[in-house]
Amino acid sequence: MLAYIVRRLLLLLPTLVGIVTINFFIVQFAPGGPVDIIIAQLRGQSTDPTQRFSGGGGETAGGGEQRQTGAGGERSRASRGVDPAIIADLRRQFGFDKPIGERYLAMLGRYASFDLGHSYYRDTSVVELVMQKLPVSISLGLWTTLIVYLVSIPLGIRKAVRDGSTFDVWTSAVVIVGDAIPSFLFAILLVVLFAGGSVFQIFPLRGIVSEGWWQMPWPARIADYLWHMVLPVGSLVLSGFAGLTLLTKNSFLDEINKQYVTVARAKGLAENRVLYGHVFRNAMLLVIAAFPSALIGILFTGALLIEIIFSLDGIGLLGWEATLNRDYPVMFGTLYVFTLIGLVTRIVSDVTYTLVDPRIDFERRDV
């Protein structure tokens, strides 16, 4: 197993570099960029012409050399009619006056030491921003994953025991609907129904806690936090329990049909003893080992849109705002962190499989 982990760790670095490199050069040829945005603001096409740029202009010279405007030519449509000296000064402050190869190599060098640069529009480093926002995303992912497991495992066991019954048919229909509808549609539906959309105004719509949360006593803090998490976590659970439910059901059906279950029943053991004393341990191996993968899947997919819909100040919302504002250091920094977390979690997931079931061996064997 140690050799397998070493091989996976050795593959992690080129995979990470490859993903970052592809996205770097995609942005190189993408239209628009921070320079064009600032020029448009200077020309009066924004309600806030210069404030965003002045907040982080001094800091971006060091952290922005790996970025580019995305406009391959010397002049973009947004820059027409603007003094070329102003454009050159903006490009120099953002670091776009350097060749693309130099910016790319500088980016890789900094990323090797986990220096992700500075945000163009915020007077702080990308690492600090990520560390501030990451707990919100992890909190959302952990709660969702735990509740999905608490719902899916009992439901999957029940469906396996009553396979082919009316209960199994109707719950399968619910599972299929839940799997077919994306989490953000559930989120919009919950907002309309329960967050002041047009029916009830029961749950808060924005943020993870209320204003003045720090002045509340501890019981009130916990209640307020949980109250804010109901709708975002609920929308993710509604669309995320289908796959795990079917996995649990199929695992139990596979184990129930094995010979040792028939022998246990022939010995006169009670059905619950057979089900939870023998079948459960074997059927749950793959389900429990898949926990890390399930967590990272929730973080990478539905949670990003949920953070945007409910204005949760996490990595997803940070990356979305950075994309809109062409804040390239933050864009690439969040991509780098998410990719690194995903690759490491995949390795942890494989190790978990071997821990819960020693029969699984990832080592290469010569035949």
Side-chain angles (χ1 to χ4, degrees), residues 289-305:
F291 185 90
S293 298
L295 173 61
I296 205 65
I298 291 173
L299 288 175
F300 277 160
T301 53
L304 301 181
L305 291 175

Side-chain angles (χ1 to χ4, degrees), residues 19 22 26 50-51 66 68 120 126 151 170 174 184-185 195 199 210 238 260 267 275 282-283 320 325 346-347 355:
I19 293 174
I22 291 173
I26 288 176
T50 59
Q51 183 176 3
Q66 80 268 30
Q68 58 283 342
Y120 287 162
V126 177
V151 172
W170 282 103
V174 174
F184 71 90
L185 289 182
V199 184
S210 302
L238 287 172
Y260 75 89
K267 290 181 178 180
L275 187 62
N282 296 326
W320 170 258
N325 297 325
R346 292 296 180 184
I347 299 176
L355 292 177

